[in-house]
């Protein structure tokens, strides 16, 4: 979670001044606050998150305590496949995250019916990824979404217009869910080669092979960062 810190400098018989920081990790903002308090020059402080929600020091400390053991540093890979004649879609999602000092991977896929296009399948995969984030308890943070669908990523980011009614419905659902969870999406297009895991999960779904697993992965750094 990132915040902008605004504080008032005050000292006896000296001018007051208001300072505003760049974006900071919330934990770092609290460390800076405590340092300013020790110097005796801090009169007031407020923090604003990426949704423009204002927090007091007490509220921010409470929030960070609550989310300490929740998933952090989340990266999501998604993909969708479509069989036009059958109207079937296969979607695949791989989510990597840190929880405490451990790193985890969640893999899931689904076979869906009555789908019109591959783009719709890609949107469904993205929506399923957010549903899985909700189940994991991910909220109030930035998450990186990686996929090989430029249509979905550019339409969600607002770079491209979305003219198709059925895709707009998916887009609206996704945006509503992201807002509810207070998730800031970071969209990163990748090649099909770099999206093989999610692609394989989508293919297995079309073959009728359902997968859902959550497993710990080794390493002290995020092995999924690309």
């Amino acid at each position: 979670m990132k915040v902008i810190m605004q504080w008032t400098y005050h000292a006896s018989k000296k001018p007051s001044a208001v300072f505003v920081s760049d974006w900071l990790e919330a934990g770092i903002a609290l460390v800076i606050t405590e340092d300013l308090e020790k110097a005796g020059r801090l009169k007031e402080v407020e923090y604003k998150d990426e949704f423009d929600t204002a927090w007091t020091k007490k509220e921010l400390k409470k929030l960070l305590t609550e989310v300490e053991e929740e998933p952090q540093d989340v990266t999501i890979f998604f993909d969708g496949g479509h069989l036009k004649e059958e109207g079937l879609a296969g979607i695949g999602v791989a989510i990597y995250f840190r929880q405490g000092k451990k790193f985890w991977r969640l893999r899931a896929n689904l076979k869906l019916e009555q789908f019109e296009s591959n783009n719709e399948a890609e949107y469904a995969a993205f929506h399923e990824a957010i549903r899985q984030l909700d189940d994991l308890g991910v909220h109030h943070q930035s998450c990186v979404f990686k996929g090989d669908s430029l249509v979905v990523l550019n339409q969600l980011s607002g770079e491209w217009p979305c003219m198709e009614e059925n895709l707009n419905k998916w887009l609206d659902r996704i945006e509503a869910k992201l807002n509810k969870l207070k998730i800031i999406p970071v969209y990163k297009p990748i090649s099909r080669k770099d999206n093989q895991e999610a692609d394989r999960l989508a293919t297995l779904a079309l073959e009728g092979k359902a997968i859902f697993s959550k497993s710990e992965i080794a390493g002290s750094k995020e092995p999924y960062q690309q």
Side-chain angles (χ1 to χ4, degrees):
M1 176 181 178
K2 291 186 177 181
V3 297
I4 287 177
M5 176 180 168
Q6 179 175 303
W7 73 97
T8 303
Y9 168 91
H10 176 76
S12 179
K13 298 181 181 181
K14 292 183 180 180
S16 295
V18 176
F19 294 89
V20 179
S21 73
D22 293 328
W23 286 104
L24 301 167
E25 291 293 339
I28 293 174
L30 289 174
V31 170
I32 293 172
T33 299
E34 291 174 358
D35 189 58
L36 291 169
E37 287 174 336
K38 288 178 183 178
R41 296 292 186 264
L42 182 67
K43 184 178 181 181
E44 295 176 348
V45 63
E46 183 182 73
Y47 315 88
K48 284 194 175 181
D49 64 20
E50 293 161 295
F51 285 89
D52 205 33
T53 302
W55 303 82
T56 65
K57 178 186 173 185
K58 182 179 179 180
E59 291 169 340
L60 189 60
K61 287 184 74 173
K62 181 180 179 182
L63 176 64
L64 292 188
T65 299
E66 290 173 351
V67 304
E68 187 175 0
E69 291 302 318
E70 294 178 358
Q72 303 290 329
D73 302 327
V74 183
T75 294
I76 303 100
F77 294 84
F78 71 96
D79 198 22
H82 180 243
L83 298 178
K84 185 175 181 180
E85 291 186 4
E86 295 86 341
L88 297 176
I91 61 176
V93 173
I95 302 175
Y96 291 82
F97 59 95
R98 174 181 59 81
Q99 196 161 11
K101 295 182 180 180
K102 296 182 178 180
F103 295 90
W104 298 87
R105 178 183 68 177
L106 183 149
R107 300 166 73 234
N109 68 359
L110 284 173
K111 184 178 182 180
L112 304 170
E113 298 180 349
Q114 297 181 342
F115 272 63
E116 298 178 10
S117 67
N118 192 75
N119 286 335
E120 187 180 8
E122 294 277 6
Y123 266 105
F126 197 106
H127 185 269
E128 174 62 17
I130 302 172
R131 195 186 71 79
Q132 293 293 342
L133 294 180
D134 192 4
D135 288 348
L136 285 170
V138 176
H139 60 94
H140 286 90
Q141 61 178 287
S142 298
C143 296
V144 179
F145 292 86
K146 295 185 177 184
D148 56 63
S149 173
L150 290 176
V151 170
V152 171
L153 294 175
N154 285 331
Q155 287 180 346
L156 284 171
S157 68
E159 293 292 322
W160 293 359
C162 184
M163 310 301 290
E164 298 179 53
E165 184 178 352
N166 65 327
L167 298 187
N168 259 313
K169 289 179 180 178
W170 282 105
L171 191 152
D172 290 342
R173 282 183 225 154
I174 288 168
E175 289 185 341
K177 194 75 171 175
L178 290 171
N179 288 332
K180 179 183 176 182
L181 297 175
K182 302 295 183 183
I183 289 175
I184 302 293
V186 178
Y187 304 112
K188 289 194 175 182
I190 57 176
S191 67
R192 289 188 62 83
K193 179 181 177 182
D194 290 333
N195 204 29
Q196 288 183 12
E197 183 175 23
D199 176 72
R200 179 60 178 160
L201 288 167
T203 299
L204 289 172
L206 286 172
E207 294 173 357
K209 300 173 183 177
I211 292 175
F212 181 85
S213 66
K214 178 184 173 183
S215 57
E216 185 180 351
I217 54 179
S220 58
K221 294 184 178 180
E222 297 89 332
Y224 48 87
Q225 297 289 345
Q226 297 181 23

Short mmCIF file of all heavy atoms in Angstrom, two decimals, residues 9-41:
data_model
loop_
_atom_site.label_atom_id
_atom_site.label_comp_id
_atom_site.label_asym_id
_atom_site.label_seq_id
_atom_site.Cartn_x
_atom_site.Cartn_y
_atom_site.Cartn_z
N TYR A 9 5.03 21.37 9.74
CA TYR A 9 6.21 21.66 10.56
C TYR A 9 5.86 22.83 11.48
O TYR A 9 5.28 23.82 11.05
CB TYR A 9 7.39 22.02 9.67
CG TYR A 9 8.57 22.61 10.42
CD1 TYR A 9 9.58 21.78 10.91
CD2 TYR A 9 8.69 23.98 10.62
CE1 TYR A 9 10.67 22.31 11.58
CE2 TYR A 9 9.77 24.52 11.30
CZ TYR A 9 10.76 23.69 11.78
OH TYR A 9 11.83 24.21 12.45
N HIS A 10 6.22 22.69 12.76
CA HIS A 10 5.91 23.77 13.70
C HIS A 10 6.96 23.79 14.79
O HIS A 10 7.37 22.76 15.32
CB HIS A 10 4.53 23.56 14.33
CG HIS A 10 4.19 24.58 15.38
ND1 HIS A 10 3.82 25.86 15.05
CD2 HIS A 10 4.19 24.50 16.74
CE1 HIS A 10 3.58 26.54 16.17
NE2 HIS A 10 3.81 25.74 17.20
N ALA A 11 7.41 24.97 15.12
CA ALA A 11 8.33 25.17 16.23
C ALA A 11 8.01 26.50 16.89
O ALA A 11 7.55 27.44 16.23
CB ALA A 11 9.78 25.16 15.75
N SER A 12 8.24 26.57 18.18
CA SER A 12 7.92 27.78 18.94
C SER A 12 8.65 28.99 18.38
O SER A 12 9.86 28.96 18.13
CB SER A 12 8.30 27.57 20.41
OG SER A 12 8.01 28.74 21.15
N LYS A 13 7.89 30.07 18.15
CA LYS A 13 8.42 31.35 17.67
C LYS A 13 9.08 31.23 16.29
O LYS A 13 9.92 32.05 15.92
CB LYS A 13 9.41 31.93 18.68
CG LYS A 13 8.79 32.24 20.03
CD LYS A 13 9.81 32.84 20.98
CE LYS A 13 9.18 33.14 22.34
NZ LYS A 13 10.14 33.75 23.29
N LYS A 14 8.71 30.20 15.53
CA LYS A 14 9.24 30.03 14.18
C LYS A 14 8.08 29.82 13.21
O LYS A 14 7.00 29.35 13.62
CB LYS A 14 10.20 28.85 14.11
CG LYS A 14 11.50 29.07 14.88
CD LYS A 14 12.44 27.90 14.70
CE LYS A 14 13.74 28.14 15.47
NZ LYS A 14 14.69 27.01 15.30
N PRO A 15 8.26 30.14 11.95
CA PRO A 15 7.16 29.96 10.98
C PRO A 15 6.78 28.48 10.84
O PRO A 15 7.61 27.59 10.99
CB PRO A 15 7.76 30.49 9.67
CG PRO A 15 8.92 31.33 10.08
CD PRO A 15 9.45 30.72 11.34
N SER A 16 5.51 28.26 10.54
CA SER A 16 5.03 26.90 10.24
C SER A 16 5.06 26.69 8.73
O SER A 16 5.03 27.65 7.95
CB SER A 16 3.61 26.70 10.76
OG SER A 16 3.58 26.77 12.17
N ALA A 17 5.12 25.44 8.32
CA ALA A 17 5.12 25.12 6.89
C ALA A 17 4.51 23.75 6.70
O ALA A 17 4.62 22.87 7.57
CB ALA A 17 6.53 25.16 6.33
N VAL A 18 3.86 23.55 5.54
CA VAL A 18 3.25 22.27 5.21
C VAL A 18 4.08 21.59 4.13
O VAL A 18 4.43 22.21 3.13
CB VAL A 18 1.80 22.45 4.73
CG1 VAL A 18 1.21 21.11 4.31
CG2 VAL A 18 0.95 23.08 5.82
N PHE A 19 4.40 20.32 4.33
CA PHE A 19 5.21 19.55 3.38
C PHE A 19 4.39 18.37 2.86
O PHE A 19 3.61 17.77 3.60
CB PHE A 19 6.49 19.04 4.04
CG PHE A 19 7.44 20.13 4.45
CD1 PHE A 19 7.34 20.71 5.70
CD2 PHE A 19 8.41 20.58 3.57
CE1 PHE A 19 8.20 21.73 6.09
CE2 PHE A 19 9.28 21.60 3.94
CZ PHE A 19 9.17 22.17 5.21
N VAL A 20 4.60 18.04 1.59
CA VAL A 20 3.93 16.90 0.97
C VAL A 20 4.99 16.00 0.35
O VAL A 20 5.86 16.47 -0.38
CB VAL A 20 2.92 17.35 -0.11
CG1 VAL A 20 2.26 16.13 -0.75
CG2 VAL A 20 1.88 18.28 0.49
N SER A 21 4.91 14.70 0.63
CA SER A 21 5.90 13.74 0.14
C SER A 21 5.54 13.21 -1.24
O SER A 21 4.44 13.45 -1.75
CB SER A 21 6.02 12.56 1.11
OG SER A 21 4.87 11.72 1.00
N ASP A 22 6.46 12.48 -1.85
CA ASP A 22 6.14 11.65 -3.00
C ASP A 22 5.39 10.43 -2.50
O ASP A 22 5.17 10.26 -1.30
CB ASP A 22 7.44 11.23 -3.71
CG ASP A 22 8.16 12.40 -4.34
OD1 ASP A 22 7.47 13.35 -4.78
OD2 ASP A 22 9.40 12.37 -4.38
N TRP A 23 5.02 9.53 -3.42
CA TRP A 23 4.40 8.28 -3.01
C TRP A 23 5.40 7.45 -2.20
O TRP A 23 6.55 7.28 -2.61
CB TRP A 23 3.92 7.49 -4.22
CG TRP A 23 2.69 8.06 -4.85
CD1 TRP A 23 2.62 8.78 -6.01
CD2 TRP A 23 1.36 7.98 -4.35
NE1 TRP A 23 1.33 9.15 -6.27
CE2 TRP A 23 0.53 8.67 -5.27
CE3 TRP A 23 0.78 7.40 -3.23
CZ2 TRP A 23 -0.84 8.79 -5.09
CZ3 TRP A 23 -0.59 7.52 -3.05
CH2 TRP A 23 -1.39 8.21 -3.98
N LEU A 24 4.93 6.95 -1.07
CA LEU A 24 5.77 6.15 -0.18
C LEU A 24 5.04 4.88 0.21
O LEU A 24 3.80 4.86 0.29
CB LEU A 24 6.08 6.92 1.12
CG LEU A 24 6.80 8.26 1.01
CD1 LEU A 24 6.71 8.99 2.34
CD2 LEU A 24 8.25 8.04 0.63
N GLU A 25 5.79 3.81 0.46
CA GLU A 25 5.19 2.64 1.10
C GLU A 25 4.69 3.07 2.47
O GLU A 25 5.36 3.84 3.18
CB GLU A 25 6.19 1.51 1.24
CG GLU A 25 6.61 0.88 -0.08
CD GLU A 25 5.47 0.12 -0.76
OE1 GLU A 25 4.49 -0.26 -0.07
OE2 GLU A 25 5.55 -0.08 -1.99
N ALA A 26 3.50 2.60 2.85
CA ALA A 26 2.88 3.06 4.09
C ALA A 26 3.78 2.84 5.31
O ALA A 26 3.86 3.70 6.20
CB ALA A 26 1.54 2.37 4.29
N GLY A 27 4.47 1.71 5.33
CA GLY A 27 5.36 1.43 6.46
C GLY A 27 6.49 2.44 6.56
O GLY A 27 6.87 2.87 7.66
N ILE A 28 7.03 2.84 5.41
CA ILE A 28 8.11 3.83 5.39
C ILE A 28 7.58 5.19 5.84
O ILE A 28 8.26 5.92 6.58
CB ILE A 28 8.72 3.92 3.98
CG1 ILE A 28 9.45 2.61 3.64
CG2 ILE A 28 9.68 5.10 3.87
CD1 ILE A 28 9.97 2.55 2.23
N ALA A 29 6.37 5.54 5.43
CA ALA A 29 5.77 6.81 5.85
C ALA A 29 5.63 6.88 7.36
O ALA A 29 5.86 7.93 7.97
CB ALA A 29 4.40 6.98 5.18
N LEU A 30 5.28 5.76 7.99
CA LEU A 30 5.16 5.74 9.45
C LEU A 30 6.52 5.88 10.13
O LEU A 30 6.63 6.54 11.16
CB LEU A 30 4.47 4.44 9.90
CG LEU A 30 2.98 4.34 9.58
CD1 LEU A 30 2.45 2.95 9.93
CD2 LEU A 30 2.19 5.40 10.35
N VAL A 31 7.54 5.28 9.55
CA VAL A 31 8.91 5.43 10.10
C VAL A 31 9.34 6.90 10.04
O VAL A 31 9.90 7.43 11.01
CB VAL A 31 9.90 4.54 9.32
CG1 VAL A 31 11.34 4.87 9.73
CG2 VAL A 31 9.62 3.07 9.58
N ILE A 32 9.08 7.56 8.92
CA ILE A 32 9.42 8.97 8.77
C ILE A 32 8.65 9.81 9.79
O ILE A 32 9.19 10.74 10.41
CB ILE A 32 9.14 9.45 7.34
CG1 ILE A 32 10.09 8.76 6.36
CG2 ILE A 32 9.27 10.97 7.23
CD1 ILE A 32 9.77 9.02 4.90
N THR A 33 7.37 9.48 9.97
CA THR A 33 6.55 10.21 10.94
C THR A 33 7.13 10.13 12.34
O THR A 33 7.25 11.14 13.05
CB THR A 33 5.12 9.63 10.95
OG1 THR A 33 4.54 9.78 9.66
CG2 THR A 33 4.25 10.37 11.97
N GLU A 34 7.51 8.93 12.75
CA GLU A 34 8.07 8.75 14.09
C GLU A 34 9.38 9.50 14.25
O GLU A 34 9.67 10.05 15.32
CB GLU A 34 8.24 7.26 14.38
CG GLU A 34 6.90 6.54 14.53
CD GLU A 34 7.05 5.03 14.67
OE1 GLU A 34 8.19 4.55 14.60
OE2 GLU A 34 6.01 4.36 14.84
N ASP A 35 10.17 9.57 13.19
CA ASP A 35 11.43 10.32 13.25
C ASP A 35 11.16 11.82 13.41
O ASP A 35 11.84 12.50 14.19
CB ASP A 35 12.24 10.05 11.98
CG ASP A 35 13.64 10.63 12.07
OD1 ASP A 35 14.37 10.25 13.00
OD2 ASP A 35 14.00 11.44 11.21
N LEU A 36 10.16 12.33 12.68
CA LEU A 36 9.80 13.74 12.81
C LEU A 36 9.24 14.05 14.19
O LEU A 36 9.50 15.12 14.76
CB LEU A 36 8.77 14.12 11.73
CG LEU A 36 9.28 14.15 10.29
CD1 LEU A 36 8.11 14.27 9.32
CD2 LEU A 36 10.26 15.30 10.08
N GLU A 37 8.48 13.11 14.74
CA GLU A 37 7.94 13.30 16.08
C GLU A 37 9.04 13.38 17.13
O GLU A 37 8.96 14.19 18.07
CB GLU A 37 6.97 12.16 16.41
CG GLU A 37 5.64 12.25 15.66
CD GLU A 37 4.76 11.05 15.89
OE1 GLU A 37 5.28 9.97 16.23
OE2 GLU A 37 3.53 11.19 15.73
N LYS A 38 10.06 12.56 16.97
CA LYS A 38 11.19 12.59 17.91
C LYS A 38 11.90 13.93 17.88
O LYS A 38 12.43 14.40 18.89
CB LYS A 38 12.17 11.46 17.57
CG LYS A 38 11.66 10.07 17.91
CD LYS A 38 12.66 9.01 17.49
CE LYS A 38 12.12 7.60 17.76
NZ LYS A 38 13.08 6.56 17.30
N ALA A 39 11.92 14.56 16.70
CA ALA A 39 12.58 15.87 16.57
C ALA A 39 11.74 16.99 17.18
O ALA A 39 12.24 18.10 17.37
CB ALA A 39 12.84 16.16 15.10
N GLY A 40 10.47 16.68 17.49
CA GLY A 40 9.61 17.67 18.12
C GLY A 40 9.14 18.77 17.20
O GLY A 40 8.79 19.87 17.65
N ARG A 41 9.15 18.51 15.91
CA ARG A 41 8.78 19.55 14.95
C ARG A 41 7.52 19.18 14.15
O ARG A 41 7.20 19.82 13.17
CB ARG A 41 9.95 19.78 13.96
CG ARG A 41 11.19 20.33 14.62
CD ARG A 41 10.99 21.75 15.11
NE ARG A 41 12.22 22.32 15.62
CZ ARG A 41 12.55 22.33 16.91
NH1 ARG A 41 11.74 21.78 17.81
NH2 ARG A 41 13.69 22.89 17.30
#
